[in-house]
Structure formats: structure tokens, C-alpha cells
């Protein structure tokens, strides 16, 4: 993949936009065995902000499919080494891991939930795999934003009806 080779249709598109689109396309179709290598290649791009954004989108697209299953832990372990140079991506993987813990009924702390990013709190209350009443009650009561508190209350009612 050479993200710098323009096609005639995108001559007016800035080079970083073309690379971003090509990275997203490549990340969407990458084989599991090649994922870490491709993520590392993307993160080697000279535009670190754009590269982080492309990888973040990839993580946010891939993690939900793995969230409730046993393959998630190995996936995070593999990618954690690759993204270690990016504080943002390291945090995103850590927060996906916290969501995984909640979804799998593993231990978590109130501080982890209430001190997590706004992104985490919004994702926790909108992810179907998160059904832990304790986590949802905590976010309904102590979520950082009104949006999170309302969504957590709604999810808590849905979970109660399903249980």
C-alpha cells in the first residue's frame, strides 16, 4: 500500500486526507495476522495526529466485535506494544479494556468509571455488551455529563426488563 500515490479523482484532495482514507480502507480489510504490522506502519506516518486518528478509528471499529469474547485480551496485548508511543491510543486501549472487564463481569472500581474519559462514559452506556447494573447505576448517578446520566438510566431500565 502506497498511500502517497494519488489517483486522478483525488488530485485536489490534500495528501494527508488521501493517506487517511487509504489507511482506513487498509485497516478495515487487514488480515488478523497482519494487523499489528499495518498499525505500526500507519503510526510511522509523518503526520502523527492523522495517524493516531486513523488507528483510533480502527480500534473503535474492531474492539466492539471482540469485546465480549476471549480473543479481546490477546488483541489488546498485541496492539498495546504497537501503540505504546501514543498516550492517546494507549488510553483508548486501556478504556476498551475496562469496557471488556465490565462486559465480562470482571472486577472494576468506581474510580475507574467516574474518572474515565467522556468518550468512555458515553461508550459504556451505549454498548450493548455492558449490562452490569452496578456500572450503569454508578454512571446514572455520577456520570460526568447529563447525556451520560440519562443514557445510563435508560440502559439500566432496558437491562432490568431483559433480566
Amino acid at each position: 500500500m502506497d498511500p502517497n500515490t494519488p489517483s486522478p479523482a483525488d488530485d485536489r484532495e490534500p495528501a494527508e486526507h488521501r493517506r487517511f482514507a487509504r489507511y482506513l480502507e487498509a485497516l478495515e480489510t487487514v488480515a488478523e495476522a497482519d494487523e499489528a504490522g499495518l498499525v505500526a506502519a500507519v503510526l510511522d506516518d509523518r503526520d502523527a495526529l492523522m495517524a493516531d486518528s486513523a488507528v483510533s478509528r480502527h480500534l473503535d471499529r474492531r474492539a466492539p466485535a471482540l469485546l465480549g469474547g476471549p480473543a479481546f485480551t490477546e488483541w489488546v496485548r498485541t496492539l498495546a506494544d504497537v501503540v505504546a508511543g501514543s498516550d492517546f491510543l494507549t488510553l483508548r486501549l486501556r478504556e476498551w479494556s475496562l469496557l471488556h472487564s465490565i462486559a465480562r463481569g470482571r472486577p472494576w472500581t468506581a474510580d475507574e468509571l467516574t474518572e474515565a474519559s467522556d468518550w468512555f462514559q458515553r461508550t459504556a452506556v451505549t454498548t450493548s455488551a455492558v449490562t452490569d447494573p452496578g456500572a450503569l447505576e454508578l454512571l446514572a448517578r455520577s456520570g460526568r455529563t447529563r447525556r451520560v446520566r440519562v443514557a445510563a438510566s435508560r440502559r439500566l431500565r432496558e437491562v432490568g426488563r431483559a433480566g
Side-chain angles (χ1 to χ4, degrees), residues 70-120:
F72 182 88
T73 303
E74 186 57 37
W75 176 74
V76 167
R77 195 174 295 131
T78 299
L79 288 182
D81 291 337
V82 178
V83 304
S86 166
D87 291 342
F88 172 72
L89 294 173
T90 298
L91 174 61
R92 183 57 56 96
L93 268 183
R94 189 170 41 248
E95 289 187 336
W96 273 115
S97 294
L98 179 55
L99 284 168
H100 176 71
S101 292
I102 296 166
R104 300 281 290 191
R106 295 193 177 133
W108 51 270
T109 67
D111 284 348
E112 287 176 306
L113 267 61
T114 58
E115 293 173 7
S117 71
D118 289 353
W119 171 88
F120 169 86

Short mmCIF file of all heavy atoms in Angstrom, two decimals, residues 70-120:
data_model
loop_
_atom_site.label_atom_id
_atom_site.label_comp_id
_atom_site.label_asym_id
_atom_site.label_seq_id
_atom_site.Cartn_x
_atom_site.Cartn_y
_atom_site.Cartn_z
N PRO A 70 -13.12 -14.00 24.36
CA PRO A 70 -11.79 -14.27 24.90
C PRO A 70 -10.64 -13.74 24.03
O PRO A 70 -9.54 -13.52 24.53
CB PRO A 70 -11.74 -15.79 25.01
CG PRO A 70 -12.74 -16.27 24.01
CD PRO A 70 -13.81 -15.22 23.94
N ALA A 71 -10.87 -13.51 22.75
CA ALA A 71 -9.80 -13.03 21.86
C ALA A 71 -9.42 -11.57 22.16
O ALA A 71 -8.34 -11.12 21.77
CB ALA A 71 -10.23 -13.17 20.41
N PHE A 72 -10.28 -10.86 22.86
CA PHE A 72 -10.05 -9.45 23.13
C PHE A 72 -8.73 -9.22 23.87
O PHE A 72 -7.95 -8.34 23.51
CB PHE A 72 -11.22 -8.87 23.95
CG PHE A 72 -11.07 -7.41 24.23
CD1 PHE A 72 -11.54 -6.48 23.32
CD2 PHE A 72 -10.46 -6.95 25.38
CE1 PHE A 72 -11.41 -5.11 23.56
CE2 PHE A 72 -10.31 -5.61 25.63
CZ PHE A 72 -10.79 -4.68 24.72
N THR A 73 -8.47 -10.00 24.90
CA THR A 73 -7.29 -9.80 25.74
C THR A 73 -6.00 -9.92 24.93
O THR A 73 -5.09 -9.09 25.06
CB THR A 73 -7.29 -10.78 26.92
OG1 THR A 73 -8.50 -10.59 27.65
CG2 THR A 73 -6.11 -10.56 27.85
N GLU A 74 -5.92 -10.91 24.08
CA GLU A 74 -4.71 -11.09 23.25
C GLU A 74 -4.59 -9.97 22.23
O GLU A 74 -3.49 -9.49 21.96
CB GLU A 74 -4.74 -12.45 22.55
CG GLU A 74 -3.47 -12.77 21.80
CD GLU A 74 -2.21 -12.72 22.67
OE1 GLU A 74 -2.27 -13.12 23.85
OE2 GLU A 74 -1.15 -12.28 22.17
N TRP A 75 -5.71 -9.55 21.68
CA TRP A 75 -5.71 -8.44 20.72
C TRP A 75 -5.15 -7.18 21.38
O TRP A 75 -4.29 -6.51 20.82
CB TRP A 75 -7.13 -8.22 20.20
CG TRP A 75 -7.29 -7.07 19.27
CD1 TRP A 75 -6.88 -6.99 17.97
CD2 TRP A 75 -7.91 -5.82 19.57
NE1 TRP A 75 -7.23 -5.76 17.44
CE2 TRP A 75 -7.86 -5.03 18.41
CE3 TRP A 75 -8.53 -5.30 20.71
CZ2 TRP A 75 -8.39 -3.74 18.35
CZ3 TRP A 75 -9.05 -4.01 20.65
CH2 TRP A 75 -8.98 -3.26 19.48
N VAL A 76 -5.63 -6.87 22.58
CA VAL A 76 -5.14 -5.68 23.30
C VAL A 76 -3.66 -5.83 23.61
O VAL A 76 -2.88 -4.89 23.43
CB VAL A 76 -5.95 -5.42 24.58
CG1 VAL A 76 -5.27 -4.40 25.48
CG2 VAL A 76 -7.35 -4.95 24.23
N ARG A 77 -3.26 -6.99 24.07
CA ARG A 77 -1.86 -7.24 24.42
C ARG A 77 -0.96 -6.99 23.20
O ARG A 77 0.08 -6.34 23.30
CB ARG A 77 -1.70 -8.66 24.94
CG ARG A 77 -0.39 -8.91 25.66
CD ARG A 77 -0.35 -10.30 26.27
NE ARG A 77 -1.36 -10.42 27.32
CZ ARG A 77 -2.23 -11.43 27.42
NH1 ARG A 77 -2.22 -12.41 26.56
NH2 ARG A 77 -3.09 -11.46 28.41
N THR A 78 -1.38 -7.48 22.05
CA THR A 78 -0.59 -7.31 20.82
C THR A 78 -0.52 -5.84 20.41
O THR A 78 0.56 -5.33 20.10
CB THR A 78 -1.22 -8.13 19.68
OG1 THR A 78 -1.20 -9.51 20.05
CG2 THR A 78 -0.47 -7.95 18.38
N LEU A 79 -1.65 -5.17 20.42
CA LEU A 79 -1.66 -3.78 19.96
C LEU A 79 -1.09 -2.80 20.98
O LEU A 79 -0.60 -1.74 20.60
CB LEU A 79 -3.07 -3.37 19.55
CG LEU A 79 -3.55 -4.00 18.24
CD1 LEU A 79 -4.93 -3.51 17.88
CD2 LEU A 79 -2.58 -3.73 17.11
N ALA A 80 -1.11 -3.15 22.25
CA ALA A 80 -0.57 -2.24 23.28
C ALA A 80 0.90 -1.94 23.01
O ALA A 80 1.34 -0.80 23.16
CB ALA A 80 -0.76 -2.84 24.67
N ASP A 81 1.65 -2.94 22.61
CA ASP A 81 3.06 -2.72 22.29
C ASP A 81 3.22 -1.80 21.08
O ASP A 81 4.10 -0.95 21.05
CB ASP A 81 3.77 -4.05 22.02
CG ASP A 81 3.91 -4.90 23.26
OD1 ASP A 81 3.88 -4.35 24.38
OD2 ASP A 81 4.05 -6.13 23.11
N VAL A 82 2.36 -1.97 20.11
CA VAL A 82 2.45 -1.19 18.87
C VAL A 82 2.10 0.28 19.10
O VAL A 82 2.73 1.16 18.54
CB VAL A 82 1.53 -1.80 17.78
CG1 VAL A 82 1.58 -0.98 16.50
CG2 VAL A 82 1.91 -3.25 17.51
N VAL A 83 1.11 0.55 19.95
CA VAL A 83 0.65 1.94 20.15
C VAL A 83 1.31 2.60 21.36
O VAL A 83 0.96 3.73 21.71
CB VAL A 83 -0.89 2.01 20.28
CG1 VAL A 83 -1.57 1.41 19.07
CG2 VAL A 83 -1.39 1.39 21.57
N ALA A 84 2.25 1.93 21.97
CA ALA A 84 2.86 2.43 23.22
C ALA A 84 3.43 3.84 23.10
O ALA A 84 3.49 4.56 24.10
CB ALA A 84 3.94 1.46 23.70
N GLY A 85 3.79 4.27 21.92
CA GLY A 85 4.34 5.62 21.75
C GLY A 85 3.30 6.71 21.72
O GLY A 85 3.63 7.90 21.69
N SER A 86 2.04 6.35 21.75
CA SER A 86 0.95 7.34 21.70
C SER A 86 0.15 7.29 22.99
O SER A 86 -0.53 6.30 23.26
CB SER A 86 0.03 7.04 20.50
OG SER A 86 -1.18 7.77 20.61
N ASP A 87 0.19 8.35 23.76
CA ASP A 87 -0.59 8.42 25.00
C ASP A 87 -2.08 8.26 24.72
O ASP A 87 -2.79 7.58 25.45
CB ASP A 87 -0.34 9.74 25.74
CG ASP A 87 1.07 9.84 26.30
OD1 ASP A 87 1.75 8.80 26.43
OD2 ASP A 87 1.49 10.97 26.61
N PHE A 88 -2.55 8.91 23.66
CA PHE A 88 -3.97 8.86 23.32
C PHE A 88 -4.40 7.42 23.01
O PHE A 88 -5.41 6.94 23.53
CB PHE A 88 -4.27 9.78 22.13
CG PHE A 88 -5.67 9.63 21.61
CD1 PHE A 88 -6.74 10.12 22.34
CD2 PHE A 88 -5.91 8.99 20.41
CE1 PHE A 88 -8.04 9.97 21.86
CE2 PHE A 88 -7.21 8.84 19.93
CZ PHE A 88 -8.27 9.33 20.65
N LEU A 89 -3.66 6.73 22.16
CA LEU A 89 -4.04 5.37 21.78
C LEU A 89 -3.87 4.39 22.94
O LEU A 89 -4.67 3.46 23.09
CB LEU A 89 -3.24 4.91 20.56
CG LEU A 89 -3.53 5.69 19.28
CD1 LEU A 89 -2.57 5.27 18.17
CD2 LEU A 89 -4.98 5.54 18.85
N THR A 90 -2.89 4.62 23.77
CA THR A 90 -2.71 3.78 24.96
C THR A 90 -3.91 3.93 25.89
O THR A 90 -4.44 2.94 26.40
CB THR A 90 -1.40 4.16 25.69
OG1 THR A 90 -0.30 3.91 24.79
CG2 THR A 90 -1.20 3.36 26.95
N LEU A 91 -4.36 5.16 26.09
CA LEU A 91 -5.55 5.40 26.90
C LEU A 91 -6.78 4.75 26.27
O LEU A 91 -7.58 4.12 26.96
CB LEU A 91 -5.79 6.90 27.08
CG LEU A 91 -7.09 7.29 27.80
CD1 LEU A 91 -7.13 6.74 29.22
CD2 LEU A 91 -7.27 8.80 27.79
N ARG A 92 -6.92 4.87 24.96
CA ARG A 92 -8.09 4.29 24.30
C ARG A 92 -8.11 2.78 24.49
O ARG A 92 -9.14 2.20 24.81
CB ARG A 92 -8.08 4.67 22.81
CG ARG A 92 -9.29 4.19 22.02
CD ARG A 92 -10.65 4.66 22.55
NE ARG A 92 -10.81 6.07 22.67
CZ ARG A 92 -11.38 6.87 21.77
NH1 ARG A 92 -11.84 6.39 20.65
NH2 ARG A 92 -11.49 8.16 22.00
N LEU A 93 -6.97 2.13 24.33
CA LEU A 93 -6.93 0.67 24.56
C LEU A 93 -7.21 0.33 26.01
O LEU A 93 -7.92 -0.65 26.30
CB LEU A 93 -5.55 0.11 24.17
CG LEU A 93 -5.38 -0.39 22.76
CD1 LEU A 93 -3.99 -0.97 22.57
CD2 LEU A 93 -6.45 -1.37 22.34
N ARG A 94 -6.70 1.13 26.94
CA ARG A 94 -6.95 0.90 28.35
C ARG A 94 -8.45 1.03 28.65
O ARG A 94 -9.03 0.23 29.39
CB ARG A 94 -6.13 1.85 29.22
CG ARG A 94 -6.18 1.53 30.70
CD ARG A 94 -5.19 2.29 31.56
NE ARG A 94 -5.02 3.68 31.24
CZ ARG A 94 -3.91 4.23 30.73
NH1 ARG A 94 -2.86 3.47 30.47
NH2 ARG A 94 -3.83 5.52 30.48
N GLU A 95 -9.10 2.01 28.05
CA GLU A 95 -10.52 2.18 28.28
C GLU A 95 -11.35 1.08 27.60
O GLU A 95 -12.35 0.64 28.16
CB GLU A 95 -10.96 3.59 27.87
CG GLU A 95 -10.42 4.62 28.85
CD GLU A 95 -10.94 6.03 28.64
OE1 GLU A 95 -11.36 6.37 27.51
OE2 GLU A 95 -10.93 6.80 29.62
N TRP A 96 -10.92 0.61 26.44
CA TRP A 96 -11.60 -0.54 25.85
C TRP A 96 -11.43 -1.76 26.76
O TRP A 96 -12.34 -2.57 26.91
CB TRP A 96 -11.07 -0.85 24.44
CG TRP A 96 -11.78 -0.07 23.37
CD1 TRP A 96 -11.25 0.88 22.54
CD2 TRP A 96 -13.16 -0.18 22.99
NE1 TRP A 96 -12.21 1.36 21.69
CE2 TRP A 96 -13.39 0.72 21.94
CE3 TRP A 96 -14.22 -0.95 23.45
CZ2 TRP A 96 -14.65 0.87 21.33
CZ3 TRP A 96 -15.48 -0.81 22.84
CH2 TRP A 96 -15.67 0.09 21.80
N SER A 97 -10.28 -1.88 27.38
CA SER A 97 -10.04 -3.00 28.31
C SER A 97 -10.95 -2.91 29.54
O SER A 97 -11.44 -3.93 30.03
CB SER A 97 -8.58 -3.03 28.75
OG SER A 97 -7.75 -3.33 27.65
N LEU A 98 -11.19 -1.70 30.00
CA LEU A 98 -12.12 -1.51 31.12
C LEU A 98 -13.54 -1.91 30.69
O LEU A 98 -14.25 -2.60 31.44
CB LEU A 98 -12.07 -0.06 31.62
CG LEU A 98 -13.01 0.29 32.77
CD1 LEU A 98 -12.81 -0.62 33.98
CD2 LEU A 98 -12.80 1.76 33.16
N LEU A 99 -13.94 -1.53 29.50
CA LEU A 99 -15.25 -1.95 28.98
C LEU A 99 -15.32 -3.47 28.89
O LEU A 99 -16.34 -4.07 29.21
CB LEU A 99 -15.51 -1.32 27.62
CG LEU A 99 -15.92 0.14 27.63
CD1 LEU A 99 -15.87 0.73 26.22
CD2 LEU A 99 -17.29 0.32 28.24
N HIS A 100 -14.25 -4.09 28.46
CA HIS A 100 -14.19 -5.55 28.38
C HIS A 100 -14.36 -6.17 29.77
O HIS A 100 -15.10 -7.14 29.93
CB HIS A 100 -12.85 -5.98 27.76
CG HIS A 100 -12.63 -7.44 27.72
ND1 HIS A 100 -13.33 -8.28 26.87
CD2 HIS A 100 -11.79 -8.24 28.40
CE1 HIS A 100 -12.92 -9.52 27.03
NE2 HIS A 100 -11.98 -9.52 27.96
N SER A 101 -13.70 -5.60 30.76
CA SER A 101 -13.83 -6.11 32.13
C SER A 101 -15.28 -6.03 32.60
O SER A 101 -15.80 -6.98 33.19
CB SER A 101 -12.94 -5.32 33.09
OG SER A 101 -11.58 -5.57 32.82
N ILE A 102 -15.92 -4.92 32.34
CA ILE A 102 -17.31 -4.76 32.76
C ILE A 102 -18.20 -5.75 32.01
O ILE A 102 -19.04 -6.42 32.62
CB ILE A 102 -17.79 -3.30 32.54
CG1 ILE A 102 -16.98 -2.34 33.42
CG2 ILE A 102 -19.28 -3.17 32.83
CD1 ILE A 102 -17.14 -0.88 33.04
N ALA A 103 -18.00 -5.86 30.70
CA ALA A 103 -18.82 -6.75 29.88
C ALA A 103 -18.65 -8.22 30.28
O ALA A 103 -19.60 -9.01 30.21
CB ALA A 103 -18.47 -6.58 28.40
N ARG A 104 -17.46 -8.60 30.74
CA ARG A 104 -17.18 -9.99 31.10
C ARG A 104 -17.41 -10.28 32.59
O ARG A 104 -17.13 -11.38 33.06
CB ARG A 104 -15.75 -10.36 30.72
CG ARG A 104 -15.40 -10.24 29.25
CD ARG A 104 -15.89 -11.38 28.45
NE ARG A 104 -15.12 -12.55 28.81
CZ ARG A 104 -15.14 -13.68 28.15
NH1 ARG A 104 -15.90 -13.80 27.10
NH2 ARG A 104 -14.41 -14.71 28.54
N GLY A 105 -17.89 -9.27 33.34
CA GLY A 105 -18.15 -9.48 34.75
C GLY A 105 -16.89 -9.55 35.59
O GLY A 105 -16.88 -10.14 36.67
N ARG A 106 -15.84 -8.93 35.12
CA ARG A 106 -14.57 -8.91 35.85
C ARG A 106 -14.53 -7.66 36.74
O ARG A 106 -15.30 -6.73 36.55
CB ARG A 106 -13.41 -8.93 34.87
CG ARG A 106 -13.39 -10.24 34.08
CD ARG A 106 -12.11 -10.42 33.33
NE ARG A 106 -12.12 -11.72 32.66
CZ ARG A 106 -11.77 -11.89 31.41
NH1 ARG A 106 -11.37 -10.88 30.67
NH2 ARG A 106 -11.80 -13.10 30.87
N PRO A 107 -13.60 -7.65 37.70
CA PRO A 107 -13.55 -6.51 38.64
C PRO A 107 -13.24 -5.17 37.97
O PRO A 107 -12.48 -5.10 37.01
CB PRO A 107 -12.41 -6.89 39.59
CG PRO A 107 -12.23 -8.35 39.44
CD PRO A 107 -12.64 -8.69 38.04
N TRP A 108 -13.85 -4.15 38.49
CA TRP A 108 -13.60 -2.77 38.12
C TRP A 108 -13.88 -1.93 39.37
O TRP A 108 -14.49 -2.42 40.31
CB TRP A 108 -14.49 -2.32 36.95
CG TRP A 108 -15.94 -2.60 37.15
CD1 TRP A 108 -16.62 -3.73 36.78
CD2 TRP A 108 -16.90 -1.75 37.79
NE1 TRP A 108 -17.93 -3.64 37.16
CE2 TRP A 108 -18.14 -2.43 37.78
CE3 TRP A 108 -16.85 -0.49 38.38
CZ2 TRP A 108 -19.31 -1.89 38.33
CZ3 TRP A 108 -18.01 0.05 38.92
CH2 TRP A 108 -19.22 -0.65 38.88
N THR A 109 -13.42 -0.69 39.36
CA THR A 109 -13.66 0.16 40.53
C THR A 109 -14.50 1.37 40.12
O THR A 109 -14.50 1.79 38.96
CB THR A 109 -12.34 0.67 41.16
OG1 THR A 109 -11.71 1.57 40.24
CG2 THR A 109 -11.41 -0.49 41.50
N ALA A 110 -15.16 1.94 41.11
CA ALA A 110 -15.97 3.15 40.87
C ALA A 110 -15.08 4.27 40.34
O ALA A 110 -15.48 5.00 39.43
CB ALA A 110 -16.67 3.57 42.15
N ASP A 111 -13.88 4.41 40.89
CA ASP A 111 -12.98 5.47 40.43
C ASP A 111 -12.63 5.28 38.96
O ASP A 111 -12.52 6.26 38.22
CB ASP A 111 -11.70 5.50 41.26
CG ASP A 111 -11.91 6.12 42.63
OD1 ASP A 111 -12.98 6.72 42.85
OD2 ASP A 111 -11.01 5.99 43.48
N GLU A 112 -12.42 4.05 38.53
CA GLU A 112 -12.10 3.82 37.12
C GLU A 112 -13.21 4.35 36.22
O GLU A 112 -12.93 4.97 35.19
CB GLU A 112 -11.90 2.32 36.84
CG GLU A 112 -10.61 1.75 37.38
CD GLU A 112 -10.52 0.25 37.15
OE1 GLU A 112 -11.45 -0.48 37.55
OE2 GLU A 112 -9.49 -0.18 36.57
N LEU A 113 -14.45 4.13 36.60
CA LEU A 113 -15.57 4.58 35.77
C LEU A 113 -15.77 6.09 35.85
O LEU A 113 -15.95 6.75 34.83
CB LEU A 113 -16.86 3.88 36.20
CG LEU A 113 -17.20 2.60 35.44
CD1 LEU A 113 -16.15 1.55 35.60
CD2 LEU A 113 -18.56 2.11 35.85
N THR A 114 -15.74 6.63 37.04
CA THR A 114 -16.03 8.06 37.18
C THR A 114 -14.87 8.95 36.73
O THR A 114 -15.08 10.10 36.37
CB THR A 114 -16.43 8.41 38.63
OG1 THR A 114 -15.38 8.04 39.51
CG2 THR A 114 -17.73 7.71 39.01
N GLU A 115 -13.66 8.42 36.73
CA GLU A 115 -12.50 9.20 36.30
C GLU A 115 -12.15 8.96 34.83
O GLU A 115 -11.26 9.63 34.30
CB GLU A 115 -11.29 8.89 37.19
CG GLU A 115 -11.50 9.37 38.61
CD GLU A 115 -10.40 8.93 39.56
OE1 GLU A 115 -9.38 8.36 39.10
OE2 GLU A 115 -10.56 9.14 40.77
N ALA A 116 -12.85 8.04 34.19
CA ALA A 116 -12.58 7.75 32.78
C ALA A 116 -13.03 8.93 31.91
O ALA A 116 -13.78 9.81 32.35
CB ALA A 116 -13.31 6.48 32.37
N SER A 117 -12.59 8.91 30.67
CA SER A 117 -12.90 10.00 29.74
C SER A 117 -14.39 10.08 29.43
O SER A 117 -15.14 9.12 29.64
CB SER A 117 -12.12 9.79 28.43
OG SER A 117 -12.65 8.69 27.72
N ASP A 118 -14.79 11.22 28.91
CA ASP A 118 -16.17 11.38 28.45
C ASP A 118 -16.48 10.32 27.39
O ASP A 118 -17.57 9.75 27.37
CB ASP A 118 -16.39 12.78 27.88
CG ASP A 118 -16.40 13.86 28.93
OD1 ASP A 118 -16.35 13.54 30.14
OD2 ASP A 118 -16.44 15.05 28.55
N TRP A 119 -15.53 10.09 26.48
CA TRP A 119 -15.72 9.07 25.45
C TRP A 119 -16.05 7.73 26.09
O TRP A 119 -16.98 7.05 25.68
CB TRP A 119 -14.46 8.94 24.57
CG TRP A 119 -14.56 7.77 23.65
CD1 TRP A 119 -15.12 7.77 22.41
CD2 TRP A 119 -14.17 6.41 23.91
NE1 TRP A 119 -15.10 6.50 21.89
CE2 TRP A 119 -14.52 5.65 22.79
CE3 TRP A 119 -13.57 5.78 25.00
CZ2 TRP A 119 -14.28 4.29 22.71
CZ3 TRP A 119 -13.32 4.42 24.92
CH2 TRP A 119 -13.67 3.69 23.79
N PHE A 120 -15.27 7.34 27.09
CA PHE A 120 -15.51 6.05 27.75
C PHE A 120 -16.92 6.00 28.34
O PHE A 120 -17.65 5.03 28.16
CB PHE A 120 -14.49 5.80 28.86
CG PHE A 120 -14.87 4.63 29.72
CD1 PHE A 120 -14.53 3.34 29.35
CD2 PHE A 120 -15.63 4.81 30.86
CE1 PHE A 120 -14.93 2.25 30.12
CE2 PHE A 120 -16.03 3.73 31.63
CZ PHE A 120 -15.68 2.44 31.26
#
